[in-house]
Amino acid sequence: MNDVMFVIEIIGVISFAVSGSIVAMKRECDLFGVIVLGVATATGGGIIRDMLLGIHPPIFFQKPIYAAIAAFSSVLAFLVVYFNHGTFTKHKKQIEYLDLISDSLGLGIFVVVGINTTISQGSQSLFLIQFIGIMTGVGGGILRDMMAVQIPMVLRKRIYAVAALLGGLVYYYSLAVLPPSLATVVSIGFTVTIRALAAHYKWNLPKVSLKG
């Protein structure tokens, strides 16, 4: 299971790195900025998780492979767009779709990773387990959006944190009846589906505007 989780975590790192890179390119960052936002998105949630759980130094610093893969993925995303800029500017909807899938996949994966890490630290508190799972999933995106000078998506649209919460609950309770690997697939699939449906049907939590 450790090997399976490592592979899944690497997929999450790549997914979030691509998502962060797309946001960086939309904000017209240079290559260095793309790498910074890609790595921050891919590793921010894990750093927050480890700080909350008292894991020092965070795993990000213990295993540089995560940062290396995130940086490589960010550079690759940049080069693909750089050498195909005309094609990408003509297919903005496809880029939005790629961003959605990358971000949703990373979210679903890191919620599961956060929950597993919390449980492995001996916690039996459902509140703590779910809180850490959500923060692991959304932390990188919050850091990405703050660095890109925009209100974090988790605070404004597409039931982002709600999808993380529901996916985390599905994983937690699935562990009682399913093998961990299958519970992981079910949870990630559920989270991605919720995010895709929210984007397609424009589901949002109620909000109010106080603008004049």
Side-chain angles (χ1 to χ4, degrees):
M1 184 59 189
N2 288 336
D3 292 338
V4 172
M5 287 306 302
F6 177 73
V7 171
I8 290 174
E9 197 168 2
I10 293 301
I11 294 173
V13 167
I14 295 172
S15 299
F16 262 165
V18 171
S19 175
S21 300
I22 291 174
V23 171
M25 286 183 278
K26 286 181 179 178
R27 303 296 285 184
E28 299 183 355
C29 294
D30 61 14
L31 176 57
F32 180 73
V34 170
I35 295 173
V36 170
L37 256 67
V39 174
T41 308
T43 62
I47 292 174
I48 294 172
R49 172 201 66 207
D50 293 347
M51 291 176 65
L52 290 173
L53 292 175
I55 300 175
H56 298 294
I59 295 175
F60 166 74
F61 297 105
Q62 298 181 38
K63 298 180 179 179
I65 186 173
Y66 296 115
I69 291 175
F72 176 79
S73 302
S74 301
V75 171
L76 185 60
F78 177 86
L79 292 176
V80 169
V81 175
Y82 185 82
F83 288 108
N84 299 275
H85 185 262
T87 301
F88 278 92
T89 54
K90 294 178 182 178
H91 298 85
K92 292 184 179 180
K93 288 187 177 180
Q94 286 80 356
I95 297 299
E96 293 291 339
Y97 182 74
L98 174 61
D99 187 19
L100 171 67
I101 295 301
S102 298
D103 194 56
S104 300
L105 185 59
L107 177 67
I109 288 174
F110 278 106
V111 167
V112 169
V113 171
I115 290 175
N116 274 335
T117 303
T118 309
I119 293 175
S120 70
Q121 292 295 305
S123 175
Q124 297 181 349
S125 167
L126 177 59
F127 176 75
L128 178 61
I129 290 171
Q130 291 302 313
F131 180 79
I132 298 295
I134 292 172
M135 288 307 301
T136 307
V138 307
I142 291 175
L143 184 59
R144 172 200 64 203
D145 292 343
M146 291 176 64
M147 294 176 71
V149 195
Q150 58 188 22
I151 299 174
M153 184 183 295
V154 67
L155 302 178
R156 57 191 172 92
K157 66 178 183 179
R158 303 293 185 265
I159 60 173
Y160 197 85
V162 174
L165 171 62
L166 295 177
L169 289 172
V170 166
Y171 179 68
Y172 180 82
Y173 287 109
S174 293
L175 286 175
V177 295
L178 297 174
S181 57
L182 183 56
T184 298
V185 172
V186 170
S187 173
I188 295 171
F190 182 85
T191 303
V192 172
T193 300
I194 292 295
R195 291 277 292 118
L197 290 174
H200 180 74
Y201 292 105
K202 294 181 171 55
W203 292 343
N204 292 298
L205 294 176
K207 59 182 177 181
V208 63
S209 175
L210 295 178
K211 293 181 179 180

